[in-house]
Every structure is written in C-alpha cells, then in structure tokens.
Amino acid sequence: MRRASITGWGRCTPEPVLTNEDLASVMDTSDEWITSRSGIKERRVSHTDNSDMATVAGAHALAAAGLEAADIDYVILATCTPDRQIPAAACYVQAKLGTVNAAAVDLNAGCTGFIYGLSMAQGLIATGAADRILLIGSERITPYLDFEERSTAVLFGDGAGAVVLEAAKGDEGVLSMTVGSDGSLAGVLTAEGVGTSFVGNEVPMRIIMDGREVFRNAVTQMGESAALALKEAELDFEDVDVLIPHQANLRILDATARRLDLDESKVYTNIVRYGNTSAASIPIALSEAIEEGKVSPGGNVLFVAFGAGLTWGASVVRWGDRVEALGVSDAKLPPTDRTGLELVLELMEKKRVSA
Ligand code: UT7
C-alpha cells in the first residue's frame, strides 16, 4: 500500500497581535487568569479572508516541497470558518495559488480537521486516486467570538498551516490513522448564526462552548486516540520523537502527556503565542517544530487532536530524510496598519450595531 509522506510544510500567522492585556481592556478578565487556565499569552487576528491565509501557508508548503502549483492534484482545506458557505474556500485557494490541475474541497471536523484531512489524503494516495496533495488547516475564528463571553473569547486565534503529501518512496509516511466522532455531544461546542438552522431566526455569529465538558472529553479522547495510533503503528511511547497535539489548552496538553506517561519535553507547544487556532494549530505547530529542529530525519511524529462534533483523531507519521525546505516562497498577507485590538474593537462595534 502506498503511504502518504509529508514533503512540504508552511504557515501563515497574521501580523496583528491581540494580547491578554488587550482582552482585559475590553472584558472582565486578566492576564493572570488566561495564562494560568490556558497557557495563552497572545493570539493573532486576521485582517483578511480565511482563504488568503490558507493561500499563503499553501505557497510556503509548495516551495518547501520543491513543487509548482500545477503539480498538485488535490487541495483539501480543513476549516470550520470558510470565507463563505458556497463555494468551498478551497476553491478560492485553488484559484489564488493556481493549482490548475487540482480538485478542491473543504473539510469541517472542527479542531480535528487536520487529522481528518491527513486520513483522507492517506486514502487518496494509497488508492492512487491522487499523487500530490496540498492539505491546509486554516481558520479565521475571531469574527465568531462573542467578546461578552469571556470563557470562550480568550481562547481562540486566527492562522493557517499547510503540508504537501506525496507517495512515500521508502518506509516513511503515515504509519497509522485513527479518527472518531460522537455527534450526540454536538451541543457542547457549537456555533450560532450561520447555517440553515438559523433561517428565520437571525442571530449574531458566535461560538458557544461548555468548557468543562469539552476539557473532560478532550483529555480522555486525546489520550485514547494517541495510544490507539501508536498501537496500530506497532510502536511504544519511547519510539515517539515528538508529539504535536492540537493546541487547545496547555492544561489539556499537560494532562494528556501525563496520561500517556510521555516526557513533557517531547510535547511541542506554541499555544502561548497563538491560542487555539482550531484546524490550523497542528500544521502551524509542525512547521515551527521542524524549523526548531524538533523533527529528525526518520523520526516518528505523533499527531493528536480533538474538537467540535465531537471529533477526535491521531496519527503516527514516520518522517523522511529531509527536514530542510527545498525552496522558499515570498508569499505574505497584504499589509495592515491596524492592531489586533483595533480589529477586535471594529468587530465588536459591527456586532453591536447589527444587534
Ligand atoms: O479545541 C477544543 C476547543 N475548546 C477547548 O479546548 C476548551 C476546553 N476547556 C477549557 O480550556 C477550560 O474549561 C476553560 C479555559 C474554558 C475554562 O477553564 P476552567 O478552569 O474550566 O474554568 P471554569 O469554566 O470552571 O471557570 C472558573 C471561574 C468561573 O468563575 P466562578 O464561577 O468560579 O466565580 C468563571 O466565571 O473562572 C471564571 N472565568 C473567567 N475569569 C476571568 C471564566 N472565564 C474567565 C476569564 N477571565 N476569561
């Protein structure tokens, strides 16, 4: 069976930064509370569409793989915050990148989107239905935040990450894959305001979350999924070089590592700088982990995630020989002179006026 191997990686993190102090200036919270309960110090706010971030991340991943846009035969965009409901945001990315030979599709599995995308890419490559896939996780989640709901608004941020997957030439690539869902728990993490449920009942866009219930399920499912993915790969925790988890909350990551009896030094985290970027968090973390030398040639990388649905999943990927990018791209977002706080204040004002 052909295995999908990661040959390119990249990210796009918008420049406007929103700090905990900024949030404390618009709602009843504090840097101390946010840091101690989540590990987050700041997050990014996008001034432009989701597909713009996805395109920039995708361009970097293509360059790192040494490929042209026309080489890609499938674009999978994992997101729950697309530019529009119709068409798929992946189609905008396809046009902006010029992946003229590619199919394009969005995938919504909440924060587990990247892992679900990886499982689909593995399937497409295994069957020969695709040879070179661009898998992007990208979220512009800030417009969905209710800045009057402090327990959710402080957790999320915007950004995009991407990988290129190609058929492995050696024994590298996706060694195992496990994904699952429980739709009976859909209500514990949901969004209002967009979708047919709101026809005739217009309400502002906003995320609603039962934080404690999500936390409880996250720790259990992240631990079980990671253990299952390792078992299927016939590996032990000592064989893992680095765990790249969905960056939901530092306390969830610590609890997961403890549950797995995994040395904390093997767990990659960057939540302190980006918050929870949903489906973008794993590919952003992966591209930073590679640049920081945390991924070694031939090493085993364990991915695990959990999110709205509820959904969960994990995968073990054996890295190939190369941890250096083959090329670089100068793709970047259009400049902005607005700060993260200014962008949030604009959003709050628009929501106030339309309410
Ligand atoms: O990708 C999956 C996405 N979701 C998640 O990962 C979320 C998972 N859940 C969590 O991360 C945590 O449950 C939270 C960070 C959301 C909340 O942490 P917690 O330790 O479960 O706090 P809590 O909800 O039990 O609230 C404790 C207190 C409450 O005050 P009282 O009732 O004890 O007086 C809250 O009102 O903290 C208060 N609180 C805040 N205080 C200051 C809630 N949010 C804030 C805030 N600033 N931002």
Side-chain angles (χ1 to χ4, degrees), residues 27-30 33-34 36-38 110-112 149-156 189 209-216 218 246-252 276 278 306-308:
M27 65 172 73
D28 182 16
T29 189
S30 65
W33 192 95
I34 303 170
S36 63
R37 298 292 176 125
S38 71
C111 300
T112 321
E149 180 45 64
R150 60 183 183 169
S151 63
T152 47
V154 302
L155 298 179
F156 294 93
L189 178 46
M209 181 174 72
D210 178 342
R212 281 189 198 175
E213 197 54 23
V214 174
F215 195 108
R216 207 177 54 76
H246 165 50
Q247 310 283 311
N249 180 325
L250 200 57
R251 284 160 56 216
I252 294 180
N276 178 347
S278 184
F306 176 89

Side-chain angles (χ1 to χ4, degrees), residues 7-355:
T7 60
W9 50 88
R11 65 183 179 276
C12 171
T13 50
E15 273 178 26
V17 172
L18 183 70
T19 64
N20 290 349
E21 286 80 9
D22 290 335
L23 283 167
S25 72
V26 296
M27 65 172 73
D28 182 16
T29 189
S30 65
D31 173 51
E32 197 282 325
W33 192 95
I34 303 170
T35 307
S36 63
R37 298 292 176 125
S38 71
I40 301 165
K41 280 281 184 193
E42 59 187 41
R43 67 289 290 144
R44 304 297 174 96
V45 180
S46 183
H47 55 291
T48 183
D49 267 340
N50 182 334
S51 65
D52 295 325
M53 291 187 287
T55 300
V56 171
H60 289 286
L62 280 175
L67 295 179
E68 302 292 331
D71 297 326
I72 295 296
D73 45 26
Y74 229 106
V75 176
I76 303 175
L77 175 53
T79 187
C80 53
T81 53
D83 301 19
R84 297 166 183 241
Q85 288 299 304
I86 301 171
C91 293
Y92 294 120
V93 176
Q94 187 272 329
K96 289 175 194 173
L97 275 177
T99 53
V100 289
N101 298 311
V105 68
D106 283 2
L107 182 170
N108 179 354
C111 300
T112 321
F114 181 80
I115 305 273
Y116 268 64
L118 199 57
S119 80
M120 290 180 188
Q122 167 59 25
L124 289 165
I125 284 178
T127 58
D131 291 321
R132 295 189 180 107
I133 298 175
L134 179 60
L135 169 61
I136 308 169
S138 182
E139 303 281 12
R140 188 182 181 194
I141 211 156
T142 308
Y144 283 85
L145 298 178
D146 175 357
F147 287 94
E148 285 172 13
E149 180 45 64
R150 60 183 183 169
S151 63
T152 47
V154 302
L155 298 179
F156 294 93
D158 302 335
V163 296
V164 169
L165 294 138
E166 299 182 72
K169 297 193 173 66
D171 66 355
E172 75 277 19
V174 174
L175 301 187
S176 68
M177 206 60 250
T178 166
V179 281
S181 67
D182 182 357
S184 72
L185 293 173
V188 303
L189 178 46
T190 183
E192 279 188 342
V194 182
T196 54
S197 299
F198 302 96
V199 174
N201 175 28
E202 274 74 26
V203 292
M205 277 161 56
R206 69 178 185 127
I207 288 181
I208 301 167
M209 181 174 72
D210 178 342
R212 281 189 198 175
E213 197 54 23
V214 174
F215 195 108
R216 207 177 54 76
N217 279 281
V219 174
T220 312
Q221 290 299 352
M222 299 250 282
E224 285 179 6
S225 300
L228 189 58
L230 275 173
K231 190 170 168 228
E232 285 185 5
E234 296 178 5
L235 296 174
D236 291 320
F237 285 104
E238 305 85 74
D239 303 319
V240 174
D241 282 34
V242 60
L243 168 66
I244 302 194
H246 165 50
Q247 310 283 311
N249 180 325
L250 200 57
R251 284 160 56 216
I252 294 180
L253 304 190
D254 289 346
T256 305
R258 272 199 307 278
R259 212 181 153 97
L260 298 174
D261 209 11
L262 194 67
D263 192 311
E264 268 177 34
S265 63
K266 285 190 173 182
V267 184
Y268 187 80
T269 67
N270 61 5
I271 190 170
V272 63
R273 282 175 286 127
Y274 301 121
N276 178 347
T277 57
S278 184
S281 88
I282 289 182
I284 292 174
L286 173 64
S287 79
E288 291 199 337
I290 296 167
E291 285 174 13
E292 290 170 24
K294 310 268 187 207
V295 176
S296 331
N300 295 313
V301 183
L302 174 59
F303 298 109
V304 62
F306 176 89
L310 295 178
T311 56
W312 55 84
S315 175
V316 180
V317 174
R318 180 169 297 147
W319 209 258
D321 294 336
R322 184 169 56 79
V323 286
E324 293 83 30
L326 286 176
V328 289
S329 162
D330 59 6
K332 55 179 194 273
L333 293 179
T336 178
D337 53 10
R338 283 172 297 169
T339 64
L341 182 58
E342 284 166 353
L343 290 165
V344 163
L345 288 170
E346 271 173 39
L347 276 169
M348 289 171 75
E349 179 58 16
K350 279 187 192 143
K351 283 196 178 183
R352 197 187 60 77
V353 169
S354 66

